[in-house]
Amino acid sequence: MPLIVPLTALAALSASIHVRAEYGGPRRLVYFAKPLTTGLFLVLAVAAPATVSPLYQRAVALGLVFSLAGDVFLMLPSDRFIA
């Protein structure tokens, strides 16, 4: 449980940096903060105590992995994201 609090704080900080960079900051900061935020959410989902079934926890983690991949592919300069 002690690991959850700093990870949540880091995710909130990263999300704040991403939003700030998206609306006027340097673009390369968006390329760093957006996947970092999603990655931190993924770590939080894996590190959280199992209050739900393990299958559900793995499904959420897998969804976050796909979300992270989508974030990265959408940021690539060429159109490599296929809907």
Side-chain angles (χ1 to χ4, degrees):
M1 187 70 121
L3 184 64
I4 300 299
V5 174
L7 283 175
T8 303
L10 281 174
L13 177 65
S14 177
S16 299
I17 291 170
H18 169 241
V19 170
R20 175 117 170 113
E22 194 74 55
Y23 292 104
R27 192 73 192 152
R28 66 180 178 269
L29 191 56
V30 172
Y31 294 147
F32 174 74
K34 186 173 183 180
L36 176 64
T37 303
T38 308
L40 286 169
F41 286 145
L42 174 61
V43 171
L44 275 166
V46 172
T51 58
V52 294
S53 74
L55 178 63
Y56 183 77
Q57 193 172 12
R58 286 192 296 266
V60 169
L62 183 63
L64 286 167
V65 167
F66 285 125
S67 178
L68 179 60
D71 286 346
V72 171
F73 284 124
L74 283 171
M75 289 188 300
L76 293 175
S78 61
D79 189 17
R80 297 187 186 214
F81 186 79
I82 299 173

